[in-house]
């Protein structure tokens, strides 16, 4: 129905499809091209290593299948079939892989430590990029102190949870303070200019408000389109929340490992902080295209993890999505008045990518070492470097986990050819 997609890169293309300037097949090709690397290179390896489903494996394929479906009734059949493939295929793949001489799925669990701990630094990186080295350095020292303190005083709590909370709140505080200071300066300048020209600020503001804004008109039409389908979005929110409540699904890389360990409260914290990096992006692209996010602003993930049973999750998930869709226009207007907060969102997403990129690469090399020592590192690292030199046919974040799986298969083949002896333990 072109009402929601998970891939943020696909959402801007949906307006052309909705307005008939792009065909269904062409839009499907765009969705597949932007999603395939994440599905097979990140979603599948993460699910295999953790035993927990993730958005790249569940929601990106349903983007493709949904856009591909020529009739509404075909879409849920294809989506349901994919869900069955994922669940039964995951169980089957785990059973087969764990019986292999080189168990690359168990080796993939080596990614958990670097992902969990390096992910903690994303607020520090965002603060440094937006507000400079001094504030970034101070934030790094504070986060390190909080991690050490948490490990010492509360050893049962994920060490990065408090540090991430303080880091994200600090970044938002810096951004809001900058915007408020800028607005105060602008009002003072406007008053001075108006007084010199004999025009009151109220009249100037009124004249500006009367000007026709085509983007505002587009945003209003998109918000109205989404509100017309509010019951369907509430059903979607209920389903996503129940999926999160079942604890067989994690909304991110770090979250998947936390869910697998049973650390649901810590997983909720991680996904809650992560959501702040995506709210402005999802809101603006939804208002510009008329297509929302499959998981909304993703706040339904942490809420779902904490729900005591699926019945409450249904009600709460539906209510969360209803509030998000109804508040979309207001959120867009607020973001329009807070440019530094919007910039913070961009820096947060970039920082998350930087932190996870290093963590996944390092963790993948650790997995390669567990699988095959130096030969494993040569194969996995070589595949990663080859992907880089070829212009990244597989997206960078997904390249290393995909290389671990390919490397694991190659090491098993070498074992069967009597050319490799697996490392004991």
């Amino acid at each position: 129905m072109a009402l929601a997609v998970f891939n943020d890169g696909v959402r801007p293309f949906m307006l052309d499809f909705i307005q008939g300037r792009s065909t269904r097949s062409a839009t499907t090709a765009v969705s597949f091209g932007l999603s395939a690397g994440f599905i097979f290179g990140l979603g599948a390896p993460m699910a295999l290593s953790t035993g927990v489903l993730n958005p790249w494996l569940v929601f990106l394929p349903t983007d493709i299948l949904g856009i591909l479906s020529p009739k509404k009734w075909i879409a849920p059949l294809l989506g349901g079939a994919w869900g069955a493939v994922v669940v039964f295929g995951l169980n089957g793949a785990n059973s087969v892989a764990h019986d292999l001489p080189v168990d690359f799925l168990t080796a993939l669990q080596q990614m958990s430590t670097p992902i969990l701990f390096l992910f903690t630094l994303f607020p520090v990186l965002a603060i440094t990029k937006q507000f400079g080295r001094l504030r970034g350095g101070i934030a790094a020292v504070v986060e390190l102190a909080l991690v050490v303190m948490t490990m010492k005083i509360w050893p049962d709590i994920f060490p990065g949870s408090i540090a991430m909370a303080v880091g994200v709140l600090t970044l938002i505080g810096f951004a809001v303070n900058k915007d408020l200071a800028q607005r105060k300066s602008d009002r003072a300048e406007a008053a001075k200019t108006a007084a010199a020209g004999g025009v009151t600020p109220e009249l100037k503001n009124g004249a500006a408000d009367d000007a026709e804004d085509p983007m505002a008109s587009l945003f209003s039409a998109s918000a109205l389109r989404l509100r017309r389908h509010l019951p369907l979005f509430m059903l979607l929110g209920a389903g996503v929340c129940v999926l999160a409540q079942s604890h067989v699904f994690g909304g991110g890389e770090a979250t998947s490992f936390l869910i697998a360990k049973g650390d649901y409260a810590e997983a909720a914290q991680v996904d809650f902080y992560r959501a702040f990096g995506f709210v402005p992006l999802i809101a603006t692209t939804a208002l510009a295209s008329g297509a929302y996010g499959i998981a909304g602003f993703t706040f339904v993930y942490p809420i779902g993890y904490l729900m005591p049973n699926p019945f409450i999750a249904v009600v709460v998930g539906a209510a969360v999505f209803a509030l998000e869709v109804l508040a979309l226009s207001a959120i867009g207007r607020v973001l329009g008045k807070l440019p530094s907060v919007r910039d913070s969102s961009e820096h947060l997403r970039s920082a998350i990518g930087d932190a996870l990129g290093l963590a996944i690469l390092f963790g993948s090399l650790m997995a390669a070492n567990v699988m095959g020592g130096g030969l494993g590192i040569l194969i996995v690292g070589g595949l990663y470097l080859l992907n880089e030199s070829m212009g990244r046919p597989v997206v960078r974040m997904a390249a290393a986990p995909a290389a671990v799986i390919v490397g694991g298969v190659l090491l098993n083949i070498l074992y069967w050819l009597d050319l490799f002896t697996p490392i004991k333990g």
Side-chain angles (χ1 to χ4, degrees):
M1 295 176 68
L3 284 171
V5 290
F6 180 77
N7 194 323
D8 297 318
V10 172
R11 199 171 300 115
F13 292 93
M14 300 306 290
L15 183 63
D16 285 342
F17 175 62
I18 292 167
Q19 296 181 348
R21 294 193 296 270
S22 178
T23 64
R24 186 172 289 275
S25 59
T27 311
T28 302
V30 170
S31 181
F32 181 82
L34 292 175
S35 302
F38 287 101
I39 296 169
F40 301 109
L42 185 60
M46 288 296 297
L48 289 170
S49 62
T50 62
V52 175
L53 300 176
N54 58 68
W56 306 282
L57 190 62
V58 177
F59 296 148
L60 288 181
T62 55
D63 278 3
I64 299 167
L65 294 172
I67 299 171
L68 177 67
S69 302
K71 302 290 184 181
K72 291 180 185 178
W73 62 268
I74 297 177
L77 296 179
L78 293 177
W82 176 251
V85 168
V86 167
V87 172
F88 292 110
L90 186 62
N91 288 334
N94 270 301
S95 299
V96 171
H98 290 318
D99 291 334
L100 292 172
V102 179
D103 184 356
F104 54 86
L105 294 190
T106 300
L108 271 170
Q109 294 174 7
Q110 295 290 319
M111 291 195 298
S112 64
T113 299
I115 285 177
L116 288 173
F117 280 86
L118 288 177
F119 186 75
T120 303
L121 288 174
F122 79 87
V124 173
L125 303 182
I127 291 170
T128 305
K129 289 181 178 183
Q130 187 171 6
F131 296 104
R133 299 175 184 175
L134 177 60
R135 292 184 181 183
I138 294 172
V141 172
V142 170
E143 281 213 5
L144 177 60
L146 289 171
V147 168
V148 173
M149 182 185 73
T150 304
M151 295 175 73
K152 185 69 175 178
I153 301 175
W154 303 292
D156 295 332
I157 297 177
F158 170 54
S161 58
I162 297 176
M164 279 190 288
V166 171
V168 171
L169 290 174
T170 301
L171 174 65
I172 294 173
F174 285 155
V176 171
N177 182 66
K178 181 179 179 180
D179 283 335
L180 292 177
Q182 184 63 48
R183 290 183 66 184
K184 183 178 180 180
S185 174
D186 290 344
R187 282 197 299 268
E189 184 66 27
K192 186 185 298 183
T193 302
V199 181
T200 64
E202 290 78 7
L203 288 176
K204 292 176 71 65
N205 290 338
D209 291 339
D210 290 337
E212 185 177 353
D213 186 351
M215 287 304 295
S217 176
L218 173 63
F219 281 14
S220 177
S222 296
L224 180 61
R225 177 176 188 263
L226 297 176
R227 285 198 295 270
R228 282 201 301 267
H229 295 88
L230 187 61
L232 187 57
F233 281 112
M234 293 175 69
L235 181 63
L236 176 61
V240 176
C241 196
V242 169
L243 182 62
Q245 190 278 331
S246 67
H247 300 147
V248 299
F249 174 89
E253 300 87 348
T255 314
S256 294
F257 286 106
L258 290 170
I259 292 291
K261 294 178 179 179
D263 297 333
Y264 307 132
E266 287 82 354
Q269 287 181 305
V270 169
D271 271 355
F272 180 74
Y273 307 141
R274 182 190 182 114
F276 286 104
F278 291 88
V279 168
L281 173 68
I282 294 169
T284 52
T285 54
L287 289 170
S289 67
Y292 197 42
I294 286 292
F297 292 141
T298 71
F299 287 116
V300 74
Y301 294 160
I303 291 171
Y305 303 148
L306 301 177
M307 290 293 101
N309 61 65
F311 303 105
I312 297 178
V314 166
V315 176
V316 174
V320 168
F321 259 51
L323 289 173
E324 289 182 2
V325 172
L326 292 174
L328 200 54
S329 294
I331 292 171
R333 288 193 297 270
V334 170
L335 290 174
K337 298 176 182 177
L338 298 172
S340 295
V341 173
R342 293 201 311 274
D343 290 344
S344 294
S345 172
E346 297 286 343
H347 289 300
L348 275 175
R349 288 200 309 280
S350 174
I352 288 172
D354 291 343
L356 287 176
L358 176 61
I360 290 173
L361 174 59
F362 185 61
S364 297
L365 292 175
M366 290 171 62
N369 184 57
V370 168
M371 288 192 306
L375 180 59
I377 292 174
L378 173 64
I379 293 174
V380 172
L383 288 172
Y384 179 86
L385 293 173
L386 183 62
N387 183 69
E388 289 286 306
S389 66
M390 294 173 64
R392 299 191 198 122
V394 178
V395 291
R396 176 177 283 171
M397 190 174 292
V404 173
I405 292 181
V406 174
V409 172
L410 289 175
L411 288 174
N412 277 292
I413 292 173
L414 291 175
Y415 168 81
W416 289 321
L417 294 174
D418 201 22
L419 297 174
F420 172 71
T421 301
I423 296 176
K424 293 182 180 180

